[in-house]
């Protein structure tokens, strides 16, 4: 029995300009977010996250950088991973423009006039709705629905719910009465950071980790339980925000930790069965983010078991989770995704005709190690300094983070000149 | 003539490199069969995983390289998923490079 692809070509890859536009805008926002936080380091020093400046910096980082890059990566990876082309590329360009304007206006208004942020928020919601619609139209034509499919669908549902929650919070800032503020805020953070980003990273890790490590003969046996535990944990955790019943909160965190642990064990098995013994350094950093994320989930569980409700402690835990798990994963994977995109654009038609560089030739691995190490040191430095109450060291490490972000962005842009 | 072209085609495929691994597709064990009838080469090959992002690049690379051979004017690349690729397909050279 031989299975063939009729005609041999899938032609499923997306026009390079779409993912690259998202990624370049995302890199700009990455640097911008760090600069905003640098100028407002004083608020970080006293663990004050709920101020217009920090809201703005956080949303430039999460929406402008992380969500934009995730969208760009999905436009590139969904077609090749699911073997189905993007539903409508013109619609993707329209979505890019609306989303970029929405995120930009929303983040700026959060800083200068939070009461009017809802207008930018409305535009951001439309952009995200367009993206979710595009992805559903793309994915639902797929007949064989694998684990990765369900993770991505779960992530998209969480993104949609997170953005609706965010819009309700923006309505609160505008003075409207739109539900109970605190449970909406906590649900918004959980759905965004844990739901959308984590489920997305889980899903794509099941595809990318075996590919980058050339692993063979692994089982993925824990993938469905991981999704079930993590998804259920998320729902129960959100339920605890609305009911204020601590035992439900503990169960929610327990299930989330279990889901993350099952995912981590699967990745460990994949890596144990890899043929490529020396992994690319940026990819190794993305893998390092997994134990970081697992540890932070464990800490969250412990905090809930001991009824710790200190806002500063939880704020820094969320900060570490975003930076140490979400952002570090993205930074590492971008060093793989961007060279691939550019290589496909520039060299794919030369393969077999003349000598072309390998993907590894397109980046300076040593510099990647320095940059990503510097990122980790800066994030840890900011957290420890703030918890120790040292504003001077927060300023120092936030400055390191700005420089690191700038060098990182330039090192990615440099790939386009290879 | 056909046997000579098959031999040339096989040799040429050593120059088609997987850009992610830096190893040619023959040593990786991706090429299952090479046939040449008149001026038409037919390659039966696989990839290490379905849904590989380099799917089209590698396939087009095979076509481009074989079209450079005198006597080959048409190339068909049939990607198959069964038998599935396994590490046992790899040459000792490829295994050495990976480790």
């Amino acid at each position: 029995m031989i299975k063939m692809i009729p005609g041999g070509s899938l032609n499923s890859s997306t026009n390079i300009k779409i993912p690259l536009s998202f990624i370049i805008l995302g890199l700009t926002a990455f640097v911008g977010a760090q600069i905003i936080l640098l100028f407002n380091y004083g608020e970080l020093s006293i663990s004050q996250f709920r101020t217009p400046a920090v809201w703005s910096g956080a949303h430039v980082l999460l929406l402008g950088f992380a969500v934009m890059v995730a969208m760009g990566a999905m436009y590139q990876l969904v077609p090749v991973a699911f073997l189905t082309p993007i539903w409508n590329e013109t619609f993707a360009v329209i979505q890019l423009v609306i989303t970029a304007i929405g995120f930009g206006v929303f983040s700026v208004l959060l800083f200068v006039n939070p009461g009017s942020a809802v207008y930018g928020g409305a535009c951001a919601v439309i952009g995200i709705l367009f993206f979710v619609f595009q992805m559903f139209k793309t994915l639902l034509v797929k007949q064989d629905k694998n684990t990765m499919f369900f993770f991505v669908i779960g992530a998209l549902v969480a993104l949609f719910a997170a953005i609706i929650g965010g819009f309700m919070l923006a309505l609160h800032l505008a003075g409207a009465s739109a539900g109970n503020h605190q449970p909406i805020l906590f649900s918004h953070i959980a759905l965004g950071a844990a739901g959308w980003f984590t489920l997305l990273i889980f899903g794509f890790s099941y595809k990318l980790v075996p590919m980058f490590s050339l692993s063979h003969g692994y089982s993925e046996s824990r993938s469905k339980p991981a999704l079930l535990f993590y998804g259920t944990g998320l729902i129960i955790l959100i339920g605890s925000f609305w009911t204020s019943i601590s035992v439900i909160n503990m169960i929610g965190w327990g299930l989330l930790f279990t889901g993350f642990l099952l995912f981590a064990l699967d990745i460990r098995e994949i890596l144990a069965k890899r043929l490529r013994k020396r992994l690319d350094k940026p990819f190794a950093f993305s893998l390092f983010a997994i134990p970081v994320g697992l540890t932070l989930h464990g800490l969250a569980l412990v905090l809930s078991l001991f009824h710790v409700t200190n806002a500063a402690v939880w704020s820094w835990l969320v900060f570490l989770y975003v930076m140490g798990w979400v952002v570090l994963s993205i930074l590492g994977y971008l060093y793989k995704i961007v060279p691939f995109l550019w290589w496909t654009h520039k060299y794919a038609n030369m393969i077999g005709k003349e000598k072309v560089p390998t993907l590894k030739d397109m980046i300076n691995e040593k510099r990647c190690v320095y940059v990503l190490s510097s990122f980790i040191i800066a994030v840890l430095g900011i957290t420890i300094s703030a918890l120790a109450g040292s504003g001077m060291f927060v300023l120092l490490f936030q400055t390191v983070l700005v420089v690191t972000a700038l060098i990182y962005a330039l090192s990615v842009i440099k790939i386009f000149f290879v | 003539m056909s046997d000579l072209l098959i031999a040339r085609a096989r040799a040429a495929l050593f120059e088609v490199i997987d850009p992610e691994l830096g190893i040619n597709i023959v040593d990786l064990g991706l090429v299952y069969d090479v046939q040449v009838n008149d001026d038409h080469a037919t390659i039966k090959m696989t990839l290490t995983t379905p849904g590989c992002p380099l799917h089209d690049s590698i396939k087009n690379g095979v076509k481009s390289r074989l079209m450079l051979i005198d006597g080959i004017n048409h190339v068909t690349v049939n990607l198959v998923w069964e038998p599935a690729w396994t590490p046992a397909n790899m040459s000792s050279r490829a295994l050495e490079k990976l480790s």
Side-chain angles (χ1 to χ4, degrees):
Chain A
M1 168 66 185
I2 288 180
K3 285 183 189 170
M4 287 193 189
I5 297 170
S9 183
L10 292 163
N11 288 325
S12 55
S13 52
T14 312
N15 181 334
I16 188 178
K17 289 175 186 167
I18 295 169
L20 278 185
S21 301
F22 276 96
I23 289 167
I24 290 166
L25 283 168
L27 287 171
T28 309
F30 182 50
V31 178
Q34 301 317 322
I35 292 170
I36 292 169
L37 294 174
L38 176 68
F39 281 102
N40 298 280
Y41 80 95
E43 283 147 350
L44 293 180
S45 305
I46 55 169
S47 301
Q48 184 51 268
F49 284 81
R50 292 173 76 172
T51 69
V54 178
W55 286 336
S56 178
H59 283 84
V60 171
L61 178 73
L62 287 166
L63 294 177
F65 167 65
V67 173
M68 288 296 272
V69 168
M71 284 176 174
M74 280 180 79
Y75 275 123
Q76 174 59 29
L77 293 171
V78 163
V80 291
F82 292 103
L83 305 179
T84 176
I86 285 293
W87 169 66
N88 188 318
E89 288 193 357
T90 308
F91 191 73
V93 174
I94 295 165
Q95 186 255 313
L96 165 67
V97 173
I98 292 172
T99 309
I101 292 168
F103 287 178
V105 173
F106 177 66
S107 300
V108 170
L109 286 175
L110 269 180
F111 200 159
V112 298
N113 185 4
S116 303
V118 69
Y119 300 111
C123 191
V125 168
I126 292 165
I128 286 182
L129 285 177
F130 277 23
F131 175 75
V132 171
F133 180 73
Q134 169 90 274
M135 285 299 148
F136 272 103
K137 289 288 282 183
T138 301
L139 289 166
L140 292 179
V141 297
K142 208 178 143 51
Q143 296 300 312
D144 53 327
K145 294 172 172 53
N146 57 13
T147 308
M148 191 176 145
F149 172 88
F150 291 108
F151 273 112
V152 172
I153 293 293
L156 289 168
V157 170
L159 173 65
F160 175 73
I163 204 73
I164 295 301
F167 188 66
M168 289 168 80
L169 293 170
L171 284 172
H172 288 171
L173 292 174
S177 174
N180 196 336
H181 183 82
Q182 184 148 303
I184 294 174
L185 173 67
F186 290 174
S187 303
H188 171 65
I189 294 168
L191 284 162
W196 153 244
F197 286 120
T198 299
L199 289 175
L200 194 67
I201 295 168
F202 280 8
F204 278 104
S205 294
Y206 276 108
K207 181 73 191 173
L208 298 175
V209 174
M211 210 165 64
F212 293 147
S213 62
L214 195 58
S215 184
H216 195 78
Y218 54 91
S219 69
E220 288 187 7
S221 61
R222 304 171 193 91
S223 61
K224 282 190 175 68
L227 177 60
L228 190 70
F229 274 96
Y230 206 86
T232 309
L234 198 58
I235 292 164
I236 290 175
L237 181 72
I238 290 166
S240 78
F241 298 150
W242 291 86
T243 57
S244 301
I245 299 171
S246 62
V247 72
I248 295 179
N249 188 263
M250 290 175 205
I251 292 167
W253 282 117
L255 290 171
L256 285 168
F257 175 76
T258 307
F260 207 114
L261 178 65
L262 291 168
F263 160 76
L265 289 171
D266 257 354
I267 298 298
R268 193 179 70 166
E269 186 193 330
I270 290 168
L271 291 171
K273 296 191 174 180
R274 75 184 190 270
L275 295 157
R276 202 174 179 179
K277 298 305 173 196
R278 290 184 64 193
L279 299 172
D280 289 350
K281 297 287 189 295
F283 172 53
F285 275 92
S286 289
L287 292 174
F288 174 70
I290 296 171
V292 172
L294 180 63
T295 304
L296 293 168
H297 267 287
L299 276 172
L301 175 60
V302 170
L303 292 177
S304 77
L305 290 173
F306 286 93
H307 304 291
V308 176
T309 54
N310 184 299
V313 171
W314 281 99
S315 296
W316 284 107
L317 194 76
V318 171
F319 173 83
L320 284 172
Y321 186 78
V322 166
M323 299 298 263
W325 159 239
V326 176
V327 176
L328 184 60
S329 294
I330 292 171
L331 295 179
Y333 278 129
L334 263 190
Y335 273 136
K336 297 289 292 181
I337 292 168
V338 175
F340 166 74
L341 273 169
W342 192 245
W343 185 94
T344 305
H345 172 69
K346 195 172 174 183
Y347 297 108
N349 293 331
M350 297 182 198
I351 192 172
K353 291 178 188 167
E354 56 187 89
K355 194 167 169 27
V356 295
T358 64
L359 296 175
K360 207 172 174 174
D361 294 335
M362 301 183 82
I363 57 164
N364 181 333
E365 268 214 322
K366 199 176 273 187
R367 188 178 299 144
C368 294
V369 172
Y370 292 145
V371 170
L372 295 174
S373 301
S374 171
F375 173 82
I376 293 167
I377 291 163
V379 167
L380 282 174
I382 291 164
T383 309
I384 294 164
S385 305
L387 289 171
S390 171
M392 191 182 72
F393 277 100
V394 171
L395 174 62
L396 173 72
F397 284 113
Q398 187 58 44
T399 306
V400 171
L401 198 49
V402 169
V403 174
T404 302
L406 194 59
I407 294 171
Y408 176 86
L410 292 172
S411 69
V412 172
I413 287 163
K414 196 170 174 237
I415 293 165
F416 306 135
F417 297 93
V418 174
Chain B
M1 182 61 187
S2 177
D3 285 349
L4 183 64
L5 282 176
I6 289 172
R8 281 184 183 166
R10 281 188 184 280
L13 292 177
F14 277 93
E15 294 169 37
V16 180
I17 310 290
D18 177 320
E20 167 64 18
L21 300 170
I23 301 170
N24 71 75
I25 60 171
V26 181
D27 278 330
L28 277 173
L30 302 180
V31 180
Y32 287 159
D33 189 40
V34 179
Q35 294 293 332
V36 181
N37 293 311
D38 299 328
D39 64 344
H40 189 153
T42 305
I43 310 300
K44 188 167 94 176
M45 66 176 291
T46 190
L47 296 171
T48 56
T49 174
C52 170
L54 294 162
H55 176 286
D56 287 334
S57 304
I58 291 175
K59 229 182 77 177
N60 293 335
V62 169
K63 282 185 181 177
S64 305
R65 182 60 192 89
L66 296 186
M67 292 288 279
L68 295 176
I69 298 171
D70 284 341
I72 295 179
N73 297 316
H74 305 282
V75 179
T76 302
V77 179
N78 291 323
L79 270 180
V80 301
W81 305 117
E82 287 180 18
W85 178 86
T86 78
N89 294 7
M90 287 196 292
S91 71
S92 54
R93 259 185 313 215
L95 283 166
E96 195 179 319
K97 189 158 186 187
L98 288 169
S99 60

